[in-house]
Amino acid sequence: MLLAYIIIGSICYAVMISLGEMIALLPIPGGHITLAERFVDPALSFTLGWLYWYDWAITLPAELSSASVVLRYWNESLNTAVWIAMCFVVVLVINAFGAGAYGEAEFIFSSIKVITITGLLILGIILDLGGGPNHDRIGFRYWKNPGPFVQFEGIAGAKGRFMGWFAVMPQAAFAYVGTEIVAIAGAEVKNPRRNIPKAIRSVYIRLLLFYIGGVTMMGLLIPSNDPRLNLASTSGTAAASPFVIAINNAGIKVLPSIINAAILSSAWSASNSDLYSSSRALYGLALNGRAPSIFLKVTSHGLPWVSVAFSAVFGLLAFMGISSGSGKVFGWFVSMISVAGLTSWFGIAVTYIRFHRGLQVQGIDRRTLPYRSPFQPFAAWYAAIGCFLIVFFSGWPIFLKGNWQTDTFVTTYLPLMLFPFLYAGAKYWTRAPLVPYAQMDFESGYQEDLDATDFATKLEQENS
């Protein structure tokens, strides 16, 4: 798990610095989707736009399923449909009141998330060093027994360990997908030439602290063969949360319920963001002529209600958990979201590779850019190749003898097939060639933003 998170985190970092360089220069509406049309072709822009919507739309039922799993921690007797319906209604109500209600809710949810993960990391260090009620100093005990690696499906040797590591890669990708949302916000950020580079430079801190730090702490506190870790796929309760298990092991009574409440708010927050982001992505596609015009309908308050309603319909997929189990359904969605997210990252990396080459052909010195990302163009190539390999081999366990599962095959490779299908269809429809390097537009949007930034700076100086 730790190795998988480190490698996916490095790919995420490569994608973010590539994206940051382009967005800092051209903070235009649509982010990486618009940039793909400018530096590759309209077909890739169309593909990335629909993949972006699909990713957020499918994440909605995944998070609703996750929330229902958390709620079952307190009451397993109640039907899962009740929990899903309750969470779904709250998300619909918040989104029905528009951006204002969404922003207020996200401020509260995000504050809880940051406080929770920071608190868990501190608590994890205390418990590992023996500061819990039972005073059990764990240290690196579980790295020795049962050891840092688990043989996949009992396959012996280095082969089994390698397969075990690679099996975690798509799951790790699920945690990272969505960080590229900074690109969509690029056109709305105040003084993007200063603030976007600042945000991109701090990405590695968040990756190391929250992602790598979190999984490292889990690996220290709990052995990989703890039978309670399998509860999410069997009885479907949040008692299988690694931090909850560690807290119970330490003998702390009330805290597990508090942690689960915080995890629930996180799942609720994610569901809220999923519906908001997917509806706005669909509205944006319609605005650019890449989706039916009916999705442009808005209320008198500016709420794109048709886009919200259509995207919300996908939340009903969470009710599949009633018959199949919320834990299993969540696993299906994890595969679909990971593959879709990684293909989007692949598209961003390809866009940057052509962006970088276009700068060279037109004789533009990268040192003059608002943000010049390090390790380029090698970082973009690393991201593109890494994403492709992970996506292509993400479903390999089902091809082992006796492991075939049709549902897993479909949920893993359907999103992979979407990319070439959408791109080929858009290419046939538009018949537009790749944008020649010499004709790439590095100016439109640059001077306008520069003028706006200068005006805002001057205004601030006058007011002060």
Side-chain angles (χ1 to χ4, degrees):
M1 180 174 68
L2 178 59
L3 285 175
Y5 268 76
I6 289 173
I7 292 171
I8 296 293
S10 67
I11 292 175
C12 177
Y13 179 72
V15 170
M16 291 302 294
I17 60 174
S18 302
L19 188 57
E21 182 173 321
M22 294 188 290
I23 293 296
L25 176 67
L26 298 167
I28 52 181
H32 64 286
I33 299 168
T34 306
L35 292 172
E37 181 171 6
R38 183 173 291 202
F39 300 119
V40 185
D41 65 358
L44 183 63
S45 177
F46 175 88
T47 304
L48 290 180
W50 277 103
L51 275 175
Y52 182 78
W53 169 80
Y54 165 87
D55 206 10
W56 287 110
I58 293 299
T59 307
L60 173 60
E63 296 296 351
L64 290 174
S65 297
S66 175
S68 69
V69 169
V70 174
L71 284 163
R72 281 175 62 83
Y73 176 78
W74 292 290
N75 189 333
E76 291 187 52
S77 62
L78 205 59
N79 194 298
T80 304
V82 176
W83 298 128
I84 295 173
M86 185 185 73
C87 296
F88 196 21
V89 167
V90 172
V91 171
L92 287 174
V93 169
I94 292 173
N95 275 269
F97 283 98
Y102 166 78
E104 290 292 334
E106 275 308 289
F107 175 77
I108 297 170
F109 286 141
S110 298
S111 300
I112 294 173
K113 280 191 285 188
V114 172
I115 293 170
T116 301
I117 188 62
T118 304
L120 285 174
L121 290 174
I122 295 171
L123 177 64
I125 294 172
I126 294 171
L127 295 179
D128 188 67
L129 296 177
N134 60 3
H135 302 294
D136 180 18
R137 186 183 175 92
I138 301 171
F140 282 84
R141 179 191 307 168
Y142 302 129
W143 281 60
K144 298 175 182 178
N145 181 28
F149 285 96
V150 176
Q151 306 300 130
F152 185 82
E153 296 288 335
I155 299 172
K159 181 181 178 181
R161 291 191 292 272
F162 173 82
M163 296 169 81
W165 158 70
F166 200 88
V168 185
M169 295 284 272
Q171 300 175 39
F174 172 77
Y176 286 100
V177 166
T179 52
E180 69 281 0
I181 197 170
V182 67
I184 299 298
E188 301 175 21
V189 174
K190 183 180 180 181
N191 197 352
R193 299 185 187 287
R194 182 186 65 191
N195 292 323
I196 288 180
K198 190 184 298 183
I200 296 298
R201 290 189 184 101
S202 66
V203 162
Y204 76 93
I205 298 174
R206 297 198 298 274
L207 295 180
L208 287 173
L209 180 62
F210 295 122
Y211 290 91
I212 310 302
V215 297
T216 300
M217 200 55 60
M218 290 179 198
L220 291 175
L221 295 174
I222 312 164
S224 59
N225 58 1
D226 191 313
R228 290 169 292 178
L229 290 170
N230 294 320
L231 284 178
S233 58
T234 53
S235 65
T237 74
S241 166
F243 282 111
V244 172
I245 293 174
I247 292 167
N248 282 325
N249 287 346
I252 303 174
K253 300 298 181 183
V254 183
L255 198 54
S257 289
I258 297 173
I259 297 302
N260 270 295
I263 295 173
L264 174 62
S265 74
S266 178
W268 233 326
S269 166
S271 303
N272 191 34
S273 296
D274 297 335
L275 182 53
Y276 183 86
S277 299
S278 60
S279 61
R280 272 36 177 204
L282 186 57
Y283 179 76
L285 285 167
L287 207 60
N288 291 317
R290 297 192 176 107
S293 58
I294 190 172
F295 294 117
L296 291 173
K297 290 190 175 183
V298 297
T299 65
S300 57
H301 299 289
L303 177 73
W305 66 272
V306 177
S307 295
V308 171
F310 183 77
S311 298
V313 169
F314 286 80
L316 298 175
L317 293 173
F319 287 97
M320 291 192 299
I322 298 171
S323 58
S324 302
S326 293
K328 186 174 183 180
V329 170
F330 181 73
W332 292 343
F333 287 130
V334 165
S335 296
M336 297 172 74
I337 294 160
S338 298
V339 173
L342 287 170
T343 51
S344 292
W345 285 6
F346 172 80
I348 292 171
V350 169
T351 301
Y352 179 83
I353 290 168
R354 288 185 54 82
F355 167 87
H356 186 275
R357 180 60 180 158
L359 290 173
Q360 290 179 327
V361 170
Q362 296 190 25
I364 300 174
D365 190 344
R366 290 180 63 235
R367 287 175 294 185
T368 64
L369 303 181
Y371 171 64
R372 182 174 60 135
S373 56
F375 316 121
Q376 297 292 8
F378 308 107
W381 277 106
Y382 167 69
I385 295 171
C387 288
F388 176 80
L389 290 175
I390 295 168
V391 167
F392 190 78
F393 292 107
S394 59
W396 63 267
I398 62 174
F399 296 106
L400 296 176
K401 188 176 180 179
N403 271 22
W404 176 260
Q405 292 179 312
T406 304
D407 54 356
T408 305
F409 175 82
V410 171
T411 54
T412 301
Y413 287 105
L414 175 63
L416 176 60
M417 292 182 283
L418 273 177
F419 189 94
F421 175 77
L422 289 171
Y423 183 78
K427 195 73 173 175
Y428 177 79
W429 181 264
T430 60
R431 305 294 177 97
L434 292 175
V435 179
Y437 294 115
Q439 296 178 21
M440 287 182 177
D441 182 9
F442 293 97
E443 297 295 330
S444 298
Y446 176 83
Q447 190 59 48
E448 293 92 328
D449 182 71
L450 201 61
D451 293 340
T453 302
D454 290 341
F455 176 76
T457 304
K458 184 179 178 181
L459 195 61
E460 286 179 1
Q461 291 174 345
E462 289 177 354
N463 290 336
S464 61

